[in-house]
């Protein structure tokens, strides 16, 4: 299936907690494929959560391959019903979001993270991620709870106009 | 809708923002981009607002006169051009400069940047430390035009920093879009 439009603020679905994926069936796999296709359609995009394409389900895709700040890299992976098992070592860095155009912000996030979820094949997967991959996972996890980076900026002085839109 | 730049500054105390924006709201203005901060105990507001068609800066200044007097604020309203580009294109970098306070740091640093075609998009300076040993700290957000080598600008700034006897560093601050 196709690339889907990425929703932007003030779309209400972006602020809603997403519901669990009940069964890893054909429609869940379709959602996974749409997330991957839509992420790949934007060259700078390293992750996407289901609410961003209008599906209020707990699913995201991440791929930090080739990113200059990445250390761990698990390639492209989709997780359903992901759970955060461990997070430590917070570091502030500037991030933006496909769903929040024109702004970026300094956000403190853990740099070592363990996350667990179901793959599109229905298998339980535990991933240990760090550095930029950890930031991407935490950013996408937030989307599943209706939390945007705007909710986490360090201070009023940590919000910036996005200078380059690619 | 015509746009206006509204500036107000006065000794800080609670209620300034609420009072100023209350008047602007009554006047039918919509706040757009704003920046407000405390500078040496004074609250400084810079606001770009959209006003109703047919409005003018003099009317807003008059409407704000009461609040200006209540809070002892210096207030100015000017019409601004709607057709300027919103932000310059290029690569985002952050420059930090700090050291013993001396005249001309801002001017010298920004002159080097201007010579490279770099655009200063944000700048904060603070005087910190004790009165007998003041330290000047400055952080600049800079946009380098496409094709400019950040390493070259960084080297030029380091050279200047040595001459001025201050510390200077520069790093890319491109945000990661997730």
């Amino acid at each position: 299936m196709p690339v889907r439009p990425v929703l932007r603020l003030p779309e209400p679905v972006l602020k809603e907690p997403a519901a669990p994926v009940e069964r890893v069936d054909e429609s869940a796999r379709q959602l996974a494929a749409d997330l991957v296709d839509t992420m790949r359609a934007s060259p700078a995009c390293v992750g996407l959560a289901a609410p961003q394409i209008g599906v209020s389900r707990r699913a995201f895709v991440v791929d930090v391959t080739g990113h200059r700040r990445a250390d761990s890299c698990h390639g492209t992976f989709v997780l359903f019903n992901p759970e955060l098992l461990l997070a430590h070592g917070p570091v502030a860095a500037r991030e933006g979001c496909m769903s929040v155009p024109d702004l970026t912000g300094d956000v403190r996030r853990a740099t070592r993270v363990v996350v667990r979820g179901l793959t599109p094949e229905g298998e339980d997967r535990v991933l240990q991620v760090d550095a930029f991959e950890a930031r991407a996972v935490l950013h996408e996890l937030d989307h599943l709870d209706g939390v945007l980076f705007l909710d986490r900026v360090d201070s009023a002085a940590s919000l910036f106009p996005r200078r380059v839109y690619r | 809708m015509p746009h206006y730049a509204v500036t107000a500054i006065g000794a800080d105390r609670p209620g300034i923002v609420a009072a100023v924006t209350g008047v602007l709201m009554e006047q039918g203005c919509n706040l757009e981009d704003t920046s407000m901060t405390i500078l040496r105990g004074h609250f400084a507001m810079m606001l770009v607002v959209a006003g109703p068609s047919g409005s003018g800066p003099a009317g807003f200044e008059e409407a704000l006169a009461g609040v200006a007097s209540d809070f002892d604020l210096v207030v100015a309203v000017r019409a601004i051009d709607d057709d300027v580009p919103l932000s310059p294109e290029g690569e985002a970098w952050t420059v930090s400069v700090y050291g013993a306070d001396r005249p001309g740091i801002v001017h010298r640093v920004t002159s080097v940047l201007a010579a490279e075609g770099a655009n200063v998009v944000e700048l904060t300076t603070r005087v910190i430390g004790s009165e007998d040993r003041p330290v000047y700290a400055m952080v600049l957000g800079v946009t380098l035009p496409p094709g400019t080598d950040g390493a070259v600008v960084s080297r030029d700034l380091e050279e200047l920093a040595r001459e001025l006897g201050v510390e200077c560093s520069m790093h890319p601050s491109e945000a990661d879009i997730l």
Side-chain angles (χ1 to χ4, degrees), chain B residues 155-168:
Chain B
R155 207 180 49 218
D156 291 352
L157 284 176
E158 277 163 26
E159 203 172 297
L160 172 66
R162 270 194 298 277
E163 186 196 319
L164 296 174
V166 297
E167 303 296 324
C168 176

Side-chain angles (χ1 to χ4, degrees), chain A residues 28-103:
Chain A
R29 274 186 286 276
Q30 192 56 64
L31 171 61
D34 288 359
L35 284 168
V36 172
D37 290 349
T38 307
M39 174 183 70
R40 288 188 176 148
S42 302
C45 181
V46 297
L48 205 60
Q52 292 181 279
I53 57 171
V55 180
S56 195
R57 293 282 165 193
R58 304 190 78 81
F60 69 67
V61 61
V62 160
D63 185 355
V64 299
T65 304
H67 195 279
R68 64 192 187 289
R69 280 201 260 280
D71 182 11
S72 73
C73 178
H74 292 81
T76 304
F77 60 92
V78 172
L79 288 181
F80 296 133
N81 305 333
E83 280 173 80
L84 188 61
L85 300 183
L86 207 71
H88 57 106
V91 162
R94 199 169 294 184
E95 61 180 64
C97 178
M98 302 270 288
S99 298
V100 187
D102 306 331
L103 286 177

Side-chain angles (χ1 to χ4, degrees), chain B residues 100-168:
Chain B
D101 194 11
R102 51 163 289 170
I105 296 177
V106 177
H107 171 68
R108 295 291 301 277
V109 168
T110 53
S111 297
V112 166
L113 292 168
E116 305 279 0
N119 199 327
V120 176
V121 294
E122 55 194 349
L123 196 162
T124 300
T125 70
R126 291 286 186 272
V127 179
I128 55 175
S130 57
E131 231 165 78
D132 53 327
R133 276 189 81 190
V135 171
Y136 199 76
M138 160 162 76
V139 179
L140 303 95
V142 171
T143 300
L144 299 186
T148 305
D149 185 353
V152 171
V153 180
S154 180
R155 207 180 49 218
D156 291 352
L157 284 176
E158 277 163 26
E159 203 172 297
L160 172 66
R162 270 194 298 277
E163 186 196 319
L164 296 174
V166 297
E167 303 296 324
C168 176

Side-chain angles (χ1 to χ4, degrees), chain B residues 7-71:
Chain B
T7 59
I9 184 164
D12 187 42
R13 56 186 255 210
I16 296 175
V17 179
V20 170
T21 55
V23 172
L24 292 170
M25 193 174 71
E26 282 162 18
Q27 294 291 313
C29 289
N30 196 20
L31 269 60
E32 294 192 356
D33 292 5
T34 74
S35 184
M36 312 181 207
T37 192
I38 291 177
L39 304 173
R40 212 172 194 278
H42 287 66
F43 193 68
M45 310 174 67
M46 291 183 290
L47 308 93
V48 168
V49 306
S53 49
S55 59
F60 295 135
E61 273 188 9
E62 204 182 298
L64 286 162
V67 166
S69 145
D70 292 349
F71 286 85

